[in-house]
Amino acid sequence: MQRSPQDRLYAATIGILSGFTMLLLLAPTAVVVIISFTGGITLKFPPPSWSMRWYAELLVSDEIIQPALTSLKVAVMATIGSGILGTAAALGIARSRSRLARILDALFMSPMVLPAMAFGLSLLLVFNMLAIRLSTATLVLGHIIICIPYVIRMVGASLQQLNPVLITCSLSLGASRWYTFRRVTLPLIRRGIIASGFVAFLSSFDNVPVSLFLADARTEVLPIKLWAILEGSLDVRVAAVSGVVVIATLLGLIAAERFGGFARQAARS
């Protein structure tokens, strides 16, 4: 069936806009990755020569390795904490139609709505009011708070797809609620939990505003360290770190899609 001129114009317009949007989203990442392979000593595009020297520099740079390990540790703990708390919250509010559930949902989503810098400052003021000294624990707690909304949204989407008849049948056959959760609910929402954990990990690992306010002098995380390095010089190691993060993220996306159905779960949420 031949399309009308209006349909062809519409398709062309959507194609051009989509291509321009993809260019805006991908171009900065592509530029950083390309620069990371430069043989020069400064951040310059296009690179004057090509080399892997800056990736080799990362392997012996304690200045970057230690903050990276700290960020990794904080992100893992924040992912576990937000996964447990967010899943529990999603179980409580996902299918509820009560006013309390709507209020709690809005409260849990507030870290995504409030400006990131204002939210980080608010957490700092709360800890000061409670006379809690800044430490790795306060940093992890702050990251858990900002990661919980992602978990609730994605696990909640999985729960919306879950047929409640399955849970009713399990309970009617004499199973306890804990047994039903372990053997029926949890396996069916597993993909949502895996996908939310992946998003929570990324959100924690590269977070700047909360880390800026809640990290103490002895807790140096990677994003803040890279920021400090760029303030002093155009160090190409920053681009190399970005390249490693981009590659690791792509590999994680492939693994999450392969084993957890990340793309399908993200689309549902």
Side-chain angles (χ1 to χ4, degrees), residues 1-20:
M1 181 178 178
Q2 189 176 7
R3 293 187 298 177
S4 65
Q6 292 83 358
D7 291 337
R8 289 196 295 269
L9 178 61
Y10 174 79
T13 302
I14 294 299
I16 292 173
L17 292 177
S18 300
F20 182 69

Side-chain angles (χ1 to χ4, degrees), residues 43-180:
L43 295 171
K44 184 179 179 181
F45 184 85
S49 60
W50 301 95
S51 173
M52 294 286 292
R53 60 174 293 193
W54 298 109
Y55 286 93
E57 288 280 346
L58 293 181
L59 299 177
V60 295
S61 179
D62 289 338
E63 181 186 13
I64 293 179
I65 291 176
Q66 291 304 319
L69 293 176
T70 300
S71 290
L72 186 62
K73 180 178 68 175
V74 170
V76 169
M77 291 190 290
T79 300
I80 295 173
S82 63
I84 295 173
L85 297 176
T87 300
L91 289 169
I93 67 177
R95 294 182 178 277
S96 177
R97 296 293 182 267
S98 66
R99 178 175 298 179
L100 177 60
R102 293 196 296 270
I103 294 175
L104 290 176
D105 183 64
L107 178 64
F108 286 132
M109 292 301 113
S110 61
M112 297 180 64
V113 178
L114 296 175
M117 295 296 291
F119 187 74
L121 178 60
S122 300
L123 287 176
L124 176 62
L125 294 176
V126 169
F127 286 135
N128 284 336
M129 290 175 57
L130 298 177
I132 299 176
R133 298 181 59 181
L134 296 182
S135 63
T136 302
T138 59
L139 182 59
V140 171
L141 181 58
H143 281 213
I144 288 175
I145 294 174
I146 63 173
C147 290
I148 282 179
Y150 300 102
V151 178
I152 293 177
R153 274 290 175 259
M154 302 189 79
V155 175
S158 291
L159 289 169
Q160 293 295 337
Q161 302 295 323
L162 178 62
N163 190 342
V165 174
L166 298 175
I167 298 176
T168 303
C169 290
S170 177
L171 296 175
S172 65
L173 292 173
S176 65
R177 290 193 175 274
W178 172 242
Y179 184 88
T180 300

Side-chain angles (χ1 to χ4, degrees), residues 35-51 53-54 57 229-230 232-239:
I35 291 177
S36 69
F37 292 99
T38 183
I41 59 175
T42 60
L43 295 171
K44 184 179 179 181
F45 184 85
S49 60
W50 301 95
S51 173
R53 60 174 293 193
W54 298 109
E57 288 280 346
I229 291 176
L230 282 178
S233 63
L234 297 178
D235 197 325
V236 186
R237 291 179 302 171
V238 175

